[in-house]
Structure formats: C-alpha cells, structure tokens
Amino acid sequence: MLLELKNIYKNYIQGTMEVPVLKDINLCVEEGEYVAIMGPSGSGKSTLMNIIGCIDKPTSGTYLLDDVEIEKCKDKELSEVRNQKIGFVFQNFNLLPRQSALDNVALPLQYAKVSVRKRKQKAKEMLEMVDLGDRLNFKPTQLSGGQKQRVAIARAMVADPKILLADEPTGALDSKSGLQVMELFDTLHKQGVTIIMITHSDEIASYAERIVKIIDGELYEGDAQPKTDETDMPDSVTIGGDVHE
Ligand SMILES: Nc1ncnc2c1ncn2[C@@H]1O[C@H](COP(=O)(O)OP(=O)(O)OP(=O)(O)O)[C@@H](O)[C@H]1O
Ligand SMILES: [Mg+2]
C-alpha cells in the first residue's frame, strides 16, 4: 500500500474553540491509482490533501506513506519525504512570478542537490513533455492559464515523485485547457504515477478510476451516503442526491 490513512481527525483551533474538520477518515491508496476527491466547499478536501501531502499533520490518527509513519516524523524528515515523493499542483498555479518557466521547473531539483547544468537539462525535458519547449524563457505573466498550469505540472513532476496531488487543477481554466491538463494526467497515470485530485466537476472526476467524497469532514466511497434523518426532511429534498454546490 502506498498510502494508508487510519482514523484521521483534524481540528483547527479558532480562538478558544476547537473546530472539527476531518472526522475519522480512513483511506488506502495503492501505487498507480488515480483517485478523485469530490465534495462541497468547506467539507475538508484541501485539509485532507494537505495531510496527504505532509504539509500539515493530523490532530490524531495514523498516516503511513510508503511505509513511513508520518506522524512520527520531525519537520526536517517530513520535508524530505515531501520533496522526494510528492508533486503538487494547485488551482492558482503557485509559480514564482519573476522566474522563467525553466527556472520555475528547475527549482525542486535545487533541494535534491542536482548540479545546475543537469537541473536546466531536466527542466527543459519536462517543459518539452508538457508541450512548452518553445516557452522556456517566458515568465508566468507571459503565459496563458493553461500554459501556466502545464509549467506547474512540469515542476511537480521534475523530481520524479511517486505521487501527484492536485487541488482543483482545472478550477481556473477554460474547458479546452482543462482537458489538456487531464490528457497530461492520463499520460502520467499510464507511466505509473499515483494521482490524487480534488475537483468540483463530474466531467473532470470521470478521468479518475476511483471517486471518494468528503461531506462535512467524513469520507464516503461507492454507494455509501451520509446518514440522514428522513423524518426531518421535507418531501421535496432528494436524500442522497447531488451534493455539489
Ligand atoms: N487554517 C485554518 N484554520 C481554521 N480553520 C480552517 C483552516 N483551514 C481550513 N479551515 C476550515 O476547515 C474547513 C475545511 O476547509 P477546506 O479548505 O479543507 O475545505 P475544502 O473542502 O477544500 O473547500 P473548497 O472546495 O472551498 O476548497 C472550513 O470550514 C475552513 O473554514
Ligand atoms: Mg479546497
């Protein structure tokens, strides 16, 4: 098993209140799987993604990533695990605005202590892979949204991580650029990369092989639905219906 989350809880402290956000999440993902995470706004998807990506730690529960017990890791070990095993893609690209596409993509290799010449070579190859071989020296402001996201994917994958985590990767894109991103994800999936992607779109989610839902901090898969007290529901409400906002 590549990743295994057991009884994960996450509470945020808000003033003197403790706000429960994730409630008893159990999720196993095998190497090479392609998983979509769906659910309403505020349900805890990004919070879960940050835990999976070792950006944040759960309040309680255990998380095994590639046999490493994440909750026992010190911050330094955690950033090593993160740099080696995980690539991130975000809705708003998160590129460094003053750096060229090439330098943005080369950046993760700096942490991996690769020589400057090799970094540039590998970054160039990655940009060619995402069909941006003719935009190496363009800065983010000189690129379209779809191009920026392809730079971000090249950067996420440059250090050969096993896992690609994507938080609404097509959320800021037009449908054509969104589909290009999905084609790239398909290519990476075929190469054996494990992909976990948050999306609000049924069409985008249909590219994944497996869909899990988070509703009010709880995870549901397959036909399972949140327990609803039917006696409280007016007739017009469809129980277990569409949860999208
Ligand atoms: N740093 C934080 N401190 C306090 N509360 C937080 C923090 N981050 C998130 N939350 C709360 O946790 C809940 C879940 O947030 P999260 O960002 O995981 O939702 P989401 O499912 O990703 O939503 P969206 O689809 O809008 O991106 C929200 O109610 C939010 O207010
Ligand atoms: Mg989110």
Short mmCIF file of all heavy atoms in Angstrom, two decimals, residues 48-117:
data_model
loop_
_atom_site.label_atom_id
_atom_site.label_comp_id
_atom_site.label_asym_id
_atom_site.label_seq_id
_atom_site.Cartn_x
_atom_site.Cartn_y
_atom_site.Cartn_z
N LEU A 48 -7.57 17.63 3.91
CA LEU A 48 -7.12 16.24 3.74
C LEU A 48 -5.91 16.17 2.80
O LEU A 48 -4.94 15.46 3.06
CB LEU A 48 -8.27 15.38 3.20
CG LEU A 48 -7.91 13.92 2.92
CD1 LEU A 48 -7.49 13.18 4.19
CD2 LEU A 48 -9.08 13.18 2.25
N MET A 49 -5.99 16.95 1.72
CA MET A 49 -4.88 16.96 0.75
C MET A 49 -3.59 17.42 1.42
O MET A 49 -2.52 16.87 1.17
CB MET A 49 -5.26 17.89 -0.40
CG MET A 49 -4.40 17.77 -1.61
SD MET A 49 -4.66 16.16 -2.39
CE MET A 49 -5.44 16.66 -3.88
N ASN A 50 -3.69 18.44 2.28
CA ASN A 50 -2.50 18.94 2.98
C ASN A 50 -1.91 17.89 3.91
O ASN A 50 -0.70 17.82 4.08
CB ASN A 50 -2.83 20.21 3.76
CG ASN A 50 -3.09 21.39 2.84
OD1 ASN A 50 -2.74 21.36 1.66
ND2 ASN A 50 -3.73 22.42 3.37
N ILE A 51 -2.76 17.07 4.48
CA ILE A 51 -2.26 15.99 5.35
C ILE A 51 -1.61 14.91 4.48
O ILE A 51 -0.49 14.47 4.76
CB ILE A 51 -3.40 15.42 6.23
CG1 ILE A 51 -3.78 16.47 7.28
CG2 ILE A 51 -2.98 14.10 6.89
CD1 ILE A 51 -5.01 16.14 8.09
N ILE A 52 -2.28 14.53 3.40
CA ILE A 52 -1.69 13.52 2.50
C ILE A 52 -0.34 14.01 1.98
O ILE A 52 0.61 13.25 1.87
CB ILE A 52 -2.66 13.21 1.32
CG1 ILE A 52 -3.92 12.51 1.85
CG2 ILE A 52 -1.97 12.32 0.28
CD1 ILE A 52 -5.01 12.31 0.79
N GLY A 53 -0.26 15.32 1.69
CA GLY A 53 0.97 15.89 1.14
C GLY A 53 2.01 16.26 2.17
O GLY A 53 3.02 16.87 1.83
N CYS A 54 1.76 15.91 3.42
CA CYS A 54 2.73 16.18 4.52
C CYS A 54 3.01 17.67 4.67
O CYS A 54 4.10 18.07 5.09
CB CYS A 54 4.04 15.44 4.31
SG CYS A 54 3.87 13.68 4.06
N ILE A 55 2.04 18.51 4.32
CA ILE A 55 2.15 19.95 4.55
C ILE A 55 1.63 20.23 5.96
O ILE A 55 2.05 21.15 6.63
CB ILE A 55 1.32 20.73 3.51
CG1 ILE A 55 1.96 20.62 2.13
CG2 ILE A 55 1.14 22.19 3.91
CD1 ILE A 55 1.16 21.27 1.02
N ASP A 56 0.68 19.40 6.39
CA ASP A 56 0.06 19.57 7.70
C ASP A 56 -0.04 18.20 8.36
O ASP A 56 -0.03 17.18 7.66
CB ASP A 56 -1.34 20.18 7.48
CG ASP A 56 -1.86 20.89 8.71
OD1 ASP A 56 -1.16 20.89 9.75
OD2 ASP A 56 -2.98 21.43 8.63
N LYS A 57 -0.14 18.20 9.68
CA LYS A 57 -0.27 16.92 10.40
C LYS A 57 -1.67 16.78 10.97
O LYS A 57 -2.29 17.77 11.36
CB LYS A 57 0.73 16.87 11.54
CG LYS A 57 2.14 16.51 11.11
CD LYS A 57 3.01 16.30 12.33
CE LYS A 57 4.40 15.82 11.93
NZ LYS A 57 5.25 15.59 13.12
N PRO A 58 -2.16 15.55 11.04
CA PRO A 58 -3.49 15.36 11.65
C PRO A 58 -3.45 15.62 13.15
O PRO A 58 -2.39 15.56 13.77
CB PRO A 58 -3.81 13.90 11.35
CG PRO A 58 -2.52 13.24 11.07
CD PRO A 58 -1.58 14.29 10.58
N THR A 59 -4.62 15.91 13.72
CA THR A 59 -4.73 16.06 15.18
C THR A 59 -4.56 14.69 15.84
O THR A 59 -3.90 14.55 16.85
CB THR A 59 -6.11 16.66 15.54
OG1 THR A 59 -6.27 17.87 14.80
CG2 THR A 59 -6.22 16.95 17.02
N SER A 60 -5.16 13.67 15.23
CA SER A 60 -4.93 12.30 15.69
C SER A 60 -5.14 11.34 14.53
O SER A 60 -5.65 11.71 13.48
CB SER A 60 -5.86 11.96 16.86
OG SER A 60 -7.19 11.93 16.40
N GLY A 61 -4.72 10.09 14.75
CA GLY A 61 -4.80 9.09 13.70
C GLY A 61 -3.41 8.77 13.18
O GLY A 61 -2.43 9.42 13.57
N THR A 62 -3.32 7.76 12.32
CA THR A 62 -2.01 7.39 11.78
C THR A 62 -2.01 7.50 10.27
O THR A 62 -3.02 7.27 9.60
CB THR A 62 -1.62 5.94 12.16
OG1 THR A 62 -2.63 5.06 11.69
CG2 THR A 62 -1.47 5.78 13.66
N TYR A 63 -0.86 7.89 9.76
CA TYR A 63 -0.69 8.04 8.32
C TYR A 63 0.61 7.36 7.91
O TYR A 63 1.69 7.78 8.34
CB TYR A 63 -0.69 9.53 7.95
CG TYR A 63 -0.40 9.83 6.48
CD1 TYR A 63 -0.68 8.88 5.49
CD2 TYR A 63 0.12 11.05 6.09
CE1 TYR A 63 -0.42 9.15 4.16
CE2 TYR A 63 0.38 11.34 4.76
CZ TYR A 63 0.11 10.38 3.79
OH TYR A 63 0.37 10.66 2.48
N LEU A 64 0.48 6.32 7.11
CA LEU A 64 1.65 5.61 6.57
C LEU A 64 1.81 5.99 5.11
O LEU A 64 0.90 5.77 4.31
CB LEU A 64 1.43 4.10 6.65
CG LEU A 64 1.66 3.40 7.99
CD1 LEU A 64 1.22 1.94 7.88
CD2 LEU A 64 3.12 3.48 8.38
N LEU A 65 2.96 6.58 4.77
CA LEU A 65 3.23 6.92 3.38
C LEU A 65 4.47 6.15 2.96
O LEU A 65 5.56 6.40 3.49
CB LEU A 65 3.44 8.43 3.25
CG LEU A 65 3.99 8.94 1.92
CD1 LEU A 65 3.09 8.59 0.76
CD2 LEU A 65 4.20 10.44 1.98
N ASP A 66 4.28 5.19 2.05
CA ASP A 66 5.42 4.39 1.60
C ASP A 66 6.16 3.78 2.82
O ASP A 66 7.38 3.83 2.90
CB ASP A 66 6.37 5.28 0.79
CG ASP A 66 6.86 4.58 -0.47
OD1 ASP A 66 6.43 3.44 -0.73
OD2 ASP A 66 7.68 5.19 -1.19
N ASP A 67 5.39 3.26 3.73
CA ASP A 67 5.89 2.60 4.95
C ASP A 67 6.53 3.55 5.97
O ASP A 67 7.09 3.08 6.96
CB ASP A 67 6.87 1.48 4.61
CG ASP A 67 6.20 0.37 3.81
OD1 ASP A 67 5.01 0.11 4.07
OD2 ASP A 67 6.86 -0.20 2.92
N VAL A 68 6.47 4.85 5.74
CA VAL A 68 6.99 5.79 6.73
C VAL A 68 5.82 6.25 7.61
O VAL A 68 4.75 6.63 7.09
CB VAL A 68 7.64 7.03 6.06
CG1 VAL A 68 8.13 8.03 7.11
CG2 VAL A 68 8.78 6.60 5.14
N GLU A 69 6.00 6.19 8.93
CA GLU A 69 4.96 6.66 9.84
C GLU A 69 5.08 8.18 9.98
O GLU A 69 5.90 8.69 10.71
CB GLU A 69 5.11 6.01 11.21
CG GLU A 69 4.77 4.54 11.20
CD GLU A 69 4.95 3.92 12.58
OE1 GLU A 69 4.11 4.17 13.46
OE2 GLU A 69 5.94 3.21 12.77
N ILE A 70 4.23 8.86 9.21
CA ILE A 70 4.36 10.30 9.05
C ILE A 70 4.21 11.06 10.37
O ILE A 70 4.93 12.02 10.63
CB ILE A 70 3.34 10.81 8.00
CG1 ILE A 70 3.68 10.24 6.61
CG2 ILE A 70 3.28 12.33 7.95
CD1 ILE A 70 5.06 10.57 6.09
N GLU A 71 3.28 10.62 11.22
CA GLU A 71 3.05 11.40 12.45
C GLU A 71 4.25 11.34 13.39
O GLU A 71 4.37 12.15 14.30
CB GLU A 71 1.74 10.99 13.14
CG GLU A 71 1.73 9.63 13.78
CD GLU A 71 1.42 8.50 12.79
OE1 GLU A 71 1.31 8.77 11.58
OE2 GLU A 71 1.32 7.36 13.24
N LYS A 72 5.17 10.38 13.14
CA LYS A 72 6.36 10.31 13.99
C LYS A 72 7.54 11.09 13.42
O LYS A 72 8.59 11.18 14.05
CB LYS A 72 6.76 8.84 14.17
CG LYS A 72 5.76 8.06 15.00
CD LYS A 72 6.26 6.70 15.40
CE LYS A 72 5.21 5.98 16.23
NZ LYS A 72 5.28 4.53 16.06
N CYS A 73 7.37 11.64 12.22
CA CYS A 73 8.48 12.35 11.57
C CYS A 73 8.68 13.74 12.15
O CYS A 73 7.73 14.45 12.47
CB CYS A 73 8.19 12.52 10.08
SG CYS A 73 8.38 11.02 9.14
N LYS A 74 9.94 14.14 12.23
CA LYS A 74 10.25 15.53 12.58
C LYS A 74 10.07 16.38 11.32
O LYS A 74 10.02 15.84 10.21
CB LYS A 74 11.70 15.62 13.05
CG LYS A 74 11.98 14.76 14.26
CD LYS A 74 13.18 15.28 15.03
CE LYS A 74 13.39 14.51 16.31
NZ LYS A 74 13.70 13.07 16.08
N ASP A 75 9.99 17.69 11.50
CA ASP A 75 9.72 18.58 10.37
C ASP A 75 10.71 18.39 9.22
O ASP A 75 10.34 18.43 8.05
CB ASP A 75 9.72 20.05 10.82
CG ASP A 75 8.46 20.37 11.60
OD1 ASP A 75 7.56 19.52 11.65
OD2 ASP A 75 8.40 21.47 12.18
N LYS A 76 11.99 18.17 9.57
CA LYS A 76 13.02 18.02 8.54
C LYS A 76 12.79 16.74 7.72
O LYS A 76 12.85 16.77 6.50
CB LYS A 76 14.39 17.99 9.19
CG LYS A 76 15.55 18.00 8.21
CD LYS A 76 16.88 18.26 8.93
CE LYS A 76 18.04 18.09 7.98
NZ LYS A 76 18.32 16.68 7.68
N GLU A 77 12.47 15.65 8.43
CA GLU A 77 12.19 14.39 7.73
C GLU A 77 10.96 14.54 6.85
O GLU A 77 10.89 14.03 5.73
CB GLU A 77 11.93 13.26 8.73
CG GLU A 77 13.11 12.89 9.60
CD GLU A 77 12.67 12.01 10.76
OE1 GLU A 77 11.95 12.49 11.66
OE2 GLU A 77 13.05 10.85 10.76
N LEU A 78 9.98 15.27 7.38
CA LEU A 78 8.74 15.48 6.66
C LEU A 78 8.99 16.22 5.35
O LEU A 78 8.46 15.85 4.30
CB LEU A 78 7.80 16.30 7.55
CG LEU A 78 6.33 15.98 7.46
CD1 LEU A 78 6.06 14.52 7.75
CD2 LEU A 78 5.55 16.85 8.46
N SER A 79 9.84 17.25 5.39
CA SER A 79 10.08 17.98 4.14
C SER A 79 10.90 17.12 3.18
O SER A 79 10.73 17.23 1.97
CB SER A 79 10.74 19.33 4.39
OG SER A 79 11.89 19.21 5.15
N GLU A 80 11.72 16.22 3.70
CA GLU A 80 12.44 15.30 2.81
C GLU A 80 11.47 14.35 2.10
O GLU A 80 11.54 14.15 0.89
CB GLU A 80 13.46 14.47 3.60
CG GLU A 80 14.79 15.19 3.77
CD GLU A 80 15.70 14.47 4.76
OE1 GLU A 80 15.49 13.26 5.01
OE2 GLU A 80 16.61 15.12 5.28
N VAL A 81 10.56 13.76 2.90
CA VAL A 81 9.55 12.86 2.33
C VAL A 81 8.76 13.60 1.25
O VAL A 81 8.54 13.09 0.15
CB VAL A 81 8.59 12.35 3.44
CG1 VAL A 81 7.40 11.63 2.84
CG2 VAL A 81 9.33 11.43 4.40
N ARG A 82 8.37 14.82 1.60
CA ARG A 82 7.56 15.63 0.68
C ARG A 82 8.32 15.90 -0.63
O ARG A 82 7.79 15.72 -1.72
CB ARG A 82 7.22 16.94 1.39
CG ARG A 82 6.22 17.79 0.70
CD ARG A 82 5.66 18.83 1.65
NE ARG A 82 6.70 19.69 2.19
CZ ARG A 82 6.82 20.01 3.47
NH1 ARG A 82 5.98 19.55 4.36
NH2 ARG A 82 7.79 20.79 3.87
N ASN A 83 9.58 16.30 -0.51
CA ASN A 83 10.35 16.62 -1.72
C ASN A 83 10.61 15.39 -2.59
O ASN A 83 10.64 15.49 -3.80
CB ASN A 83 11.68 17.28 -1.35
CG ASN A 83 11.46 18.67 -0.76
OD1 ASN A 83 10.46 19.32 -1.06
ND2 ASN A 83 12.37 19.11 0.08
N GLN A 84 10.81 14.26 -1.95
CA GLN A 84 11.15 13.06 -2.72
C GLN A 84 9.94 12.38 -3.34
O GLN A 84 10.02 11.81 -4.40
CB GLN A 84 11.84 12.03 -1.81
CG GLN A 84 13.27 12.36 -1.51
CD GLN A 84 13.80 11.46 -0.40
OE1 GLN A 84 13.18 10.46 -0.04
NE2 GLN A 84 14.95 11.82 0.13
N LYS A 85 8.83 12.40 -2.62
CA LYS A 85 7.73 11.51 -3.02
C LYS A 85 6.52 12.20 -3.61
O LYS A 85 5.68 11.55 -4.20
CB LYS A 85 7.27 10.69 -1.81
CG LYS A 85 8.39 9.82 -1.24
CD LYS A 85 7.86 8.81 -0.27
CE LYS A 85 8.98 8.22 0.57
NZ LYS A 85 9.66 7.11 -0.08
N ILE A 86 6.42 13.54 -3.41
CA ILE A 86 5.17 14.19 -3.77
C ILE A 86 5.36 15.40 -4.66
O ILE A 86 6.25 16.22 -4.42
CB ILE A 86 4.42 14.62 -2.48
CG1 ILE A 86 4.13 13.37 -1.63
CG2 ILE A 86 3.11 15.32 -2.80
CD1 ILE A 86 3.67 13.65 -0.24
N GLY A 87 4.54 15.49 -5.69
CA GLY A 87 4.46 16.69 -6.50
C GLY A 87 3.10 17.33 -6.29
O GLY A 87 2.10 16.63 -6.15
N PHE A 88 3.08 18.65 -6.26
CA PHE A 88 1.82 19.37 -6.02
C PHE A 88 1.43 20.24 -7.21
O PHE A 88 2.28 20.89 -7.81
CB PHE A 88 1.98 20.34 -4.84
CG PHE A 88 2.15 19.68 -3.51
CD1 PHE A 88 3.41 19.45 -3.00
CD2 PHE A 88 1.05 19.28 -2.77
CE1 PHE A 88 3.58 18.84 -1.76
CE2 PHE A 88 1.20 18.68 -1.54
CZ PHE A 88 2.47 18.46 -1.03
N VAL A 89 0.13 20.26 -7.48
CA VAL A 89 -0.42 21.19 -8.46
C VAL A 89 -1.62 21.87 -7.81
O VAL A 89 -2.45 21.19 -7.18
CB VAL A 89 -0.84 20.46 -9.75
CG1 VAL A 89 -1.51 21.42 -10.72
CG2 VAL A 89 0.35 19.80 -10.42
N PHE A 90 -1.70 23.20 -7.93
CA PHE A 90 -2.78 23.94 -7.29
C PHE A 90 -3.64 24.66 -8.34
O PHE A 90 -3.20 24.88 -9.46
CB PHE A 90 -2.21 24.99 -6.32
CG PHE A 90 -1.35 24.39 -5.24
CD1 PHE A 90 0.04 24.32 -5.38
CD2 PHE A 90 -1.92 23.86 -4.09
CE1 PHE A 90 0.83 23.76 -4.40
CE2 PHE A 90 -1.13 23.30 -3.09
CZ PHE A 90 0.25 23.25 -3.24
N GLN A 91 -4.82 25.07 -7.89
CA GLN A 91 -5.74 25.77 -8.78
C GLN A 91 -5.09 27.03 -9.37
O GLN A 91 -5.25 27.32 -10.55
CB GLN A 91 -6.98 26.17 -7.96
CG GLN A 91 -8.00 26.95 -8.73
CD GLN A 91 -9.30 27.10 -7.95
OE1 GLN A 91 -9.42 26.68 -6.81
NE2 GLN A 91 -10.28 27.70 -8.59
N ASN A 92 -4.35 27.76 -8.53
CA ASN A 92 -3.78 29.03 -8.99
C ASN A 92 -2.30 28.95 -9.32
O ASN A 92 -1.57 29.94 -9.21
CB ASN A 92 -4.09 30.14 -7.99
CG ASN A 92 -5.59 30.42 -7.96
OD1 ASN A 92 -6.22 30.50 -9.02
ND2 ASN A 92 -6.16 30.49 -6.79
N PHE A 93 -1.86 27.79 -9.69
CA PHE A 93 -0.53 27.52 -10.27
C PHE A 93 0.63 27.67 -9.29
O PHE A 93 1.56 26.89 -9.33
CB PHE A 93 -0.28 28.37 -11.54
CG PHE A 93 -1.52 28.64 -12.36
CD1 PHE A 93 -1.97 29.92 -12.63
CD2 PHE A 93 -2.27 27.57 -12.86
CE1 PHE A 93 -3.13 30.16 -13.37
CE2 PHE A 93 -3.43 27.78 -13.60
CZ PHE A 93 -3.85 29.08 -13.86
N ASN A 94 0.61 28.72 -8.45
CA ASN A 94 1.70 28.97 -7.48
C ASN A 94 3.09 28.97 -8.10
O ASN A 94 4.02 28.39 -7.55
CB ASN A 94 1.66 27.93 -6.34
CG ASN A 94 0.46 28.12 -5.42
OD1 ASN A 94 -0.47 28.85 -5.78
ND2 ASN A 94 0.47 27.50 -4.27
N LEU A 95 3.22 29.65 -9.24
CA LEU A 95 4.56 29.78 -9.85
C LEU A 95 5.25 31.03 -9.28
O LEU A 95 4.57 31.95 -8.83
CB LEU A 95 4.43 29.92 -11.37
CG LEU A 95 3.79 28.73 -12.08
CD1 LEU A 95 3.56 29.05 -13.56
CD2 LEU A 95 4.62 27.47 -11.93
N LEU A 96 6.57 31.04 -9.30
CA LEU A 96 7.31 32.24 -8.88
C LEU A 96 7.23 33.25 -10.01
O LEU A 96 7.69 32.99 -11.12
CB LEU A 96 8.76 31.90 -8.57
CG LEU A 96 8.95 30.92 -7.40
CD1 LEU A 96 10.43 30.57 -7.23
CD2 LEU A 96 8.40 31.50 -6.11
N PRO A 97 6.63 34.44 -9.76
CA PRO A 97 6.29 35.36 -10.85
C PRO A 97 7.49 35.94 -11.59
O PRO A 97 7.40 36.24 -12.78
CB PRO A 97 5.49 36.47 -10.16
CG PRO A 97 5.81 36.37 -8.72
CD PRO A 97 6.17 34.93 -8.45
N ARG A 98 8.61 36.10 -10.89
CA ARG A 98 9.76 36.74 -11.53
C ARG A 98 10.70 35.77 -12.22
O ARG A 98 11.69 36.16 -12.82
CB ARG A 98 10.56 37.53 -10.49
CG ARG A 98 9.91 38.86 -10.16
CD ARG A 98 10.72 39.57 -9.09
NE ARG A 98 9.90 39.87 -7.93
CZ ARG A 98 8.96 40.81 -7.90
NH1 ARG A 98 8.74 41.57 -8.95
NH2 ARG A 98 8.23 41.01 -6.83
N GLN A 99 10.40 34.48 -12.10
CA GLN A 99 11.30 33.47 -12.67
C GLN A 99 10.73 32.92 -13.97
O GLN A 99 9.51 32.83 -14.14
CB GLN A 99 11.48 32.33 -11.68
CG GLN A 99 11.89 32.83 -10.32
CD GLN A 99 13.21 32.26 -9.86
OE1 GLN A 99 13.84 31.49 -10.56
NE2 GLN A 99 13.63 32.65 -8.68
N SER A 100 11.61 32.53 -14.86
CA SER A 100 11.18 31.95 -16.14
C SER A 100 10.54 30.59 -15.90
O SER A 100 10.68 30.00 -14.82
CB SER A 100 12.40 31.77 -17.04
OG SER A 100 13.25 30.79 -16.49
N ALA A 101 9.85 30.09 -16.93
CA ALA A 101 9.27 28.75 -16.86
C ALA A 101 10.36 27.74 -16.51
O ALA A 101 10.18 26.89 -15.63
CB ALA A 101 8.61 28.41 -18.20
N LEU A 102 11.51 27.87 -17.18
CA LEU A 102 12.61 26.93 -16.95
C LEU A 102 13.07 26.94 -15.48
O LEU A 102 13.23 25.89 -14.86
CB LEU A 102 13.79 27.28 -17.87
CG LEU A 102 14.88 26.21 -17.96
CD1 LEU A 102 14.43 25.02 -18.79
CD2 LEU A 102 16.17 26.79 -18.52
N ASP A 103 13.25 28.15 -14.94
CA ASP A 103 13.71 28.24 -13.54
C ASP A 103 12.65 27.75 -12.55
O ASP A 103 12.99 27.13 -11.54
CB ASP A 103 14.13 29.68 -13.21
CG ASP A 103 15.43 30.06 -13.91
OD1 ASP A 103 16.17 29.14 -14.30
OD2 ASP A 103 15.68 31.27 -14.09
N ASN A 104 11.38 28.03 -12.86
CA ASN A 104 10.31 27.51 -12.00
C ASN A 104 10.35 25.98 -11.96
O ASN A 104 10.24 25.38 -10.89
CB ASN A 104 8.94 27.97 -12.51
CG ASN A 104 8.46 29.25 -11.84
OD1 ASN A 104 8.04 29.24 -10.68
ND2 ASN A 104 8.56 30.35 -12.56
N VAL A 105 10.52 25.37 -13.12
CA VAL A 105 10.50 23.90 -13.18
C VAL A 105 11.75 23.31 -12.54
O VAL A 105 11.70 22.26 -11.90
CB VAL A 105 10.34 23.43 -14.65
CG1 VAL A 105 10.44 21.92 -14.75
CG2 VAL A 105 9.00 23.91 -15.21
N ALA A 106 12.88 24.02 -12.68
CA ALA A 106 14.15 23.50 -12.14
C ALA A 106 14.21 23.57 -10.61
O ALA A 106 14.99 22.84 -9.99
CB ALA A 106 15.32 24.27 -12.74
N LEU A 107 13.39 24.44 -10.02
CA LEU A 107 13.50 24.72 -8.58
C LEU A 107 13.51 23.49 -7.66
O LEU A 107 14.39 23.38 -6.81
CB LEU A 107 12.39 25.69 -8.16
CG LEU A 107 12.56 26.30 -6.77
CD1 LEU A 107 13.78 27.23 -6.74
CD2 LEU A 107 11.31 27.06 -6.37
N PRO A 108 12.58 22.54 -7.82
CA PRO A 108 12.59 21.40 -6.89
C PRO A 108 13.90 20.60 -6.92
O PRO A 108 14.25 19.96 -5.93
CB PRO A 108 11.43 20.52 -7.38
CG PRO A 108 10.54 21.45 -8.12
CD PRO A 108 11.45 22.47 -8.75
N LEU A 109 14.62 20.68 -8.04
CA LEU A 109 15.87 19.91 -8.15
C LEU A 109 16.98 20.54 -7.32
O LEU A 109 17.96 19.89 -6.97
CB LEU A 109 16.30 19.80 -9.61
CG LEU A 109 15.33 19.01 -10.49
CD1 LEU A 109 15.81 19.06 -11.94
CD2 LEU A 109 15.20 17.57 -10.02
N GLN A 110 16.81 21.84 -7.02
CA GLN A 110 17.78 22.51 -6.17
C GLN A 110 17.81 21.83 -4.79
O GLN A 110 18.87 21.61 -4.24
CB GLN A 110 17.33 23.96 -6.01
CG GLN A 110 18.45 24.93 -5.80
CD GLN A 110 17.91 26.35 -5.90
OE1 GLN A 110 17.14 26.68 -6.80
NE2 GLN A 110 18.28 27.17 -4.96
N TYR A 111 16.62 21.50 -4.28
CA TYR A 111 16.54 20.83 -2.97
C TYR A 111 17.13 19.43 -3.07
O TYR A 111 17.61 18.88 -2.10
CB TYR A 111 15.10 20.74 -2.47
CG TYR A 111 14.39 22.07 -2.43
CD1 TYR A 111 13.23 22.29 -3.16
CD2 TYR A 111 14.91 23.10 -1.66
CE1 TYR A 111 12.59 23.52 -3.12
CE2 TYR A 111 14.27 24.33 -1.61
CZ TYR A 111 13.11 24.53 -2.34
OH TYR A 111 12.48 25.74 -2.30
N ALA A 112 17.06 18.83 -4.25
CA ALA A 112 17.57 17.48 -4.43
C ALA A 112 19.08 17.49 -4.74
O ALA A 112 19.65 16.46 -5.07
CB ALA A 112 16.80 16.77 -5.54
N LYS A 113 19.70 18.66 -4.63
CA LYS A 113 21.15 18.82 -4.80
C LYS A 113 21.66 18.31 -6.15
O LYS A 113 22.68 17.64 -6.24
CB LYS A 113 21.92 18.13 -3.66
CG LYS A 113 21.58 18.71 -2.30
CD LYS A 113 22.54 18.21 -1.24
CE LYS A 113 22.25 18.79 0.12
NZ LYS A 113 21.10 18.13 0.80
N VAL A 114 20.94 18.64 -7.20
CA VAL A 114 21.35 18.28 -8.56
C VAL A 114 22.16 19.46 -9.12
O VAL A 114 21.88 20.61 -8.81
CB VAL A 114 20.08 18.03 -9.43
CG1 VAL A 114 20.45 17.72 -10.86
CG2 VAL A 114 19.23 16.93 -8.82
N SER A 115 23.17 19.18 -9.94
CA SER A 115 24.01 20.26 -10.48
C SER A 115 23.19 21.20 -11.38
O SER A 115 22.18 20.78 -11.95
CB SER A 115 25.17 19.67 -11.29
OG SER A 115 24.68 19.19 -12.53
N VAL A 116 23.63 22.44 -11.48
CA VAL A 116 22.87 23.45 -12.24
C VAL A 116 22.65 23.00 -13.67
O VAL A 116 21.55 23.13 -14.22
CB VAL A 116 23.62 24.81 -12.24
CG1 VAL A 116 22.87 25.84 -13.07
CG2 VAL A 116 23.78 25.32 -10.81
N ARG A 117 23.67 22.45 -14.29
CA ARG A 117 23.56 22.04 -15.69
C ARG A 117 22.49 20.94 -15.85
O ARG A 117 21.63 21.00 -16.73
CB ARG A 117 24.93 21.52 -16.18
CG ARG A 117 25.09 21.57 -17.70
CD ARG A 117 26.48 21.06 -18.10
NE ARG A 117 26.70 19.69 -17.64
CZ ARG A 117 26.26 18.61 -18.28
NH1 ARG A 117 25.57 18.73 -19.39
NH2 ARG A 117 26.50 17.41 -17.79
#
